[in-house]
Amino acid sequence: MERLLILNGSFCEQPIITKAKEMGYYVITTGNAPDLMGHAYADEYIPADYSDKEAILQLVKEHNIDKIVSCANDFGVLTAAYVAEKMGWKGHDTYENAVLLHHKDKFKDYCYTHNIPSPHSVVFTNMTDALEHVKTAEYPIIVKANDLTGGKGIRKAENYSDAVEALKYSFERSRDKHIVVEPFLEGTQHTIVTFIADKKIISSVSCNCYSPVNPYLIQSETFPADNIDDIRDELHGIIENIVNDLDLVDGIFALQYFLCNGKPYIIEMMRRSFGNQFLTLADAYSGFPWEEAYIRAATGQSCADIKCGEPTAKFCGHHGIMAGKNGIIKSYTIPEEIQKHIFKKIDMLSVGQRIEDYMNERIAYLYYSYDNRDEMNEAVKQYNDMIKIELGD
């Protein structure tokens, strides 16, 4: 039985862990947090920092690991690519390409030089140069830590004073102490996730992204994205051009974009499984077996002949229940109007637990389906008001 290492074991990776075991692998998980729920589904857990590529390479050698799969985090992609390259394993991009694609400064420069529509970013490695730049910037701007995901290390600035604080914030949080500064786009945020086999897209899903509590953290998503029929060919063309230009391997290729006056502008890209069990929704909406394909690609197997089933949800999405302030959870109530659409629920915090960081913590995740797209999109925008949360001190 082949020994498969999956980087991390949060609830985000749980479906991948489960699927890998169904596929006959002996599954080992790793990471710094042994209490994460996904580890319980693995055959074995070995503690290590999955963002430390040398530590994971040593772990692979010491424990006779045969293959590696990234977690739902960019650091996992970088580590998996590095380890696979050192071990001579197929299924992962070169480490150089993984860095190019997952470090914001390098990817934005690639977009700029290849005429890919994207906000033009300026990269800074020191505060002095960054402060000089924002003196003459056209506001508003967005400031981002170069190497973080999940909305971390990002701030919007409306003026110079805001910009100074945003620069400090992003520099403090960036691991490599690189930040990017770019124009703030007015529009709607969306994601397109494709699966690549032999450098061609064989499956594609899209969604709207809503961030009402924390503007830098997606709270809700609905499938499919608005106006996707008008821009799908353009987005697919961008993706396949990048895949061919960089000679990328099979696997997920996703773009996050802002839609401004009908035109998509690329803001992020990912070659990994998404958080929040996104692939569960991708499975339901498309019928394509995303988790199986993800594992097959990462282990160097062909995905060209993978079988696609029937979609189980006409329109679907996810919503993270978030509070409007910190405090002890006394109760929360999901009305029947929402309950009847839920096909899966994952509890993250229990009654009696304290919310310490309401801008980032979720009480639970809801996965829902609707028969009417407009009804779903309008309802989801009201979920925060409809779900009643009672907090204590």
Side-chain angles (χ1 to χ4, degrees), residues 184-332:
F184 179 80
L185 295 180
E186 294 288 350
T188 54
Q189 186 176 344
H190 312 270
T191 302
I192 184 167
V193 182
T194 66
F195 200 91
I196 304 296
D198 297 332
K199 297 185 170 55
K200 295 292 184 183
I201 293 171
I202 62 171
S203 189
S204 176
V205 298
S206 65
C207 67
N208 299 324
C209 305
Y210 304 110
S211 308
V213 174
N214 179 343
Y216 313 115
L217 180 70
I218 296 170
Q219 183 184 8
S220 308
E221 292 166 315
T222 59
F223 289 61
D226 293 343
N227 305 111
I228 189 62
D229 292 340
D230 298 329
I231 59 174
R232 183 185 290 107
D233 289 346
E234 179 180 358
L235 293 171
H236 282 190
I238 290 170
I239 291 168
E240 290 189 347
N241 285 341
I242 295 173
V243 168
N244 281 276
D245 180 56
L246 297 177
D247 192 26
L248 302 181
V249 299
D250 292 357
I252 287 174
F253 193 114
L255 296 175
Q256 289 186 336
Y257 62 94
F258 264 85
L259 191 64
C260 307
N261 298 317
K263 179 74 175 176
Y265 293 86
I266 309 306
I267 56 171
E268 305 282 353
M269 76 76 49
M270 288 135 286
R271 293 226 69 200
R272 57 169 171 81
S273 170
F274 276 30
N276 309 339
Q277 296 194 8
F278 182 96
L279 297 186
T280 296
L281 294 166
D283 287 351
Y285 180 73
S286 67
F288 184 78
W290 287 85
E291 289 92 350
E292 178 187 348
Y294 186 62
I295 295 164
R296 285 176 60 168
T299 54
Q301 302 175 59
S302 173
C303 295
D305 62 345
I306 200 161
K307 298 292 188 295
C308 189
E310 291 296 322
T312 58
K314 191 172 183 181
F315 306 107
C316 60
H318 103 278
H319 174 80
I321 299 177
M322 300 174 71
K325 62 180 183 178
N326 293 332
I328 296 173
I329 303 168
K330 296 181 71 174
S331 68
Y332 69 93

Side-chain angles (χ1 to χ4, degrees), residues 20-32:
K21 290 183 67 173
E22 290 175 6
M23 293 169 67
Y25 289 100
Y26 181 87
V27 176
I28 299 169
T29 56
T30 190
N32 285 333

Side-chain angles (χ1 to χ4, degrees), residues 10 19 24 66 87 93 106 108 130 144 215 247 271 313 320 335:
S10 73
K19 177 57 68 173
D66 296 297
M87 297 299 293
D93 295 326
K106 291 180 171 57
K108 289 300 184 66
K144 301 178 180 180
D247 192 26
R271 293 226 69 200

Side-chain angles (χ1 to χ4, degrees), residues 73-94:
N73 183 283
D74 287 355
F75 288 115
V77 178
L78 299 177
T79 294
Y82 179 82
V83 170
E85 193 168 275
K86 293 297 184 182
M87 297 299 293
W89 294 340
K90 296 179 179 179
H92 299 269
D93 295 326
T94 66

Side-chain angles (χ1 to χ4, degrees), residues 11-16 18 37 41 276-281 283-284 291 316-321 334 338-347 364-369 383:
F11 91 98
C12 301
E13 289 79 35
Q14 180 267 310
I16 297 168
T18 301
M37 65 177 68
Y41 293 84
N276 309 339
Q277 296 194 8
F278 182 96
L279 297 186
T280 296
L281 294 166
D283 287 351
E291 289 92 350
C316 60
H318 103 278
H319 174 80
I321 299 177
I334 303 170
I338 295 175
Q339 290 272 17
K340 65 184 182 182
H341 293 283
I342 297 173
F343 64 85
K344 183 176 182 178
K345 178 174 178 282
I346 301 174
D347 294 312
Y365 286 91
L366 310 179
Y367 301 82
Y368 48 80
S369 64
Y383 273 16

Side-chain angles (χ1 to χ4, degrees), residues 39-257:
H39 294 308
Y41 293 84
D43 295 294
E44 185 178 351
Y45 164 70
I46 303 173
D49 180 354
Y50 69 77
S51 70
D52 185 338
K53 58 186 185 295
E54 295 295 348
I56 298 301
L57 178 61
Q58 188 64 28
L59 184 157
V60 161
K61 292 177 178 178
E62 289 180 355
H63 294 273
N64 300 311
I65 304 295
D66 296 297
K67 301 287 170 57
I68 190 169
V69 174
S70 174
C71 55
N73 183 283
D74 287 355
F75 288 115
V77 178
L78 299 177
T79 294
Y82 179 82
V83 170
E85 193 168 275
K86 293 297 184 182
M87 297 299 293
W89 294 340
K90 296 179 179 179
H92 299 269
D93 295 326
T94 66
Y95 181 67
E96 180 181 9
N97 277 341
V99 172
L100 185 158
L101 294 171
H102 292 88
H103 277 190
K104 293 177 177 65
D105 56 350
K106 291 180 171 57
F107 178 64
K108 289 300 184 66
D109 184 62
Y110 180 90
C111 288
Y112 183 67
T113 57
H114 288 77
N115 296 314
I116 296 170
S118 178
H120 183 43
S121 302
V122 184
V123 181
F124 297 98
T125 59
N126 65 81
M127 191 67 171
T128 301
D129 290 345
L131 285 170
E132 192 64 29
H133 173 77
V134 299
K135 286 180 181 178
T136 56
E138 184 175 342
Y139 290 93
I141 60 172
I142 196 88
V143 182
K144 301 178 180 180
N146 181 55
D147 49 3
L148 301 182
T149 61
K152 301 178 183 69
I154 301 176
R155 283 290 184 269
K156 179 185 177 184
E158 298 281 1
N159 50 49
Y160 177 76
S161 177
D162 288 350
V164 172
E165 294 305 312
L167 294 174
K168 291 177 182 177
Y169 176 82
S170 296
F171 266 126
E172 285 173 358
R173 281 153 182 79
S174 172
R175 291 197 188 186
D176 66 4
K177 301 308 174 187
H178 286 53
I179 66 165
V180 295
V181 178
E182 61 191 37
F184 179 80
L185 295 180
E186 294 288 350
T188 54
Q189 186 176 344
H190 312 270
T191 302
I192 184 167
V193 182
T194 66
F195 200 91
I196 304 296
D198 297 332
K199 297 185 170 55
K200 295 292 184 183
I201 293 171
I202 62 171
S203 189
S204 176
V205 298
S206 65
C207 67
N208 299 324
C209 305
Y210 304 110
S211 308
V213 174
N214 179 343
Y216 313 115
L217 180 70
I218 296 170
Q219 183 184 8
S220 308
E221 292 166 315
T222 59
F223 289 61
D226 293 343
N227 305 111
I228 189 62
D229 292 340
D230 298 329
I231 59 174
R232 183 185 290 107
D233 289 346
E234 179 180 358
L235 293 171
H236 282 190
I238 290 170
I239 291 168
E240 290 189 347
N241 285 341
I242 295 173
V243 168
N244 281 276
D245 180 56
L246 297 177
D247 192 26
L248 302 181
V249 299
D250 292 357
I252 287 174
F253 193 114
L255 296 175
Q256 289 186 336
Y257 62 94

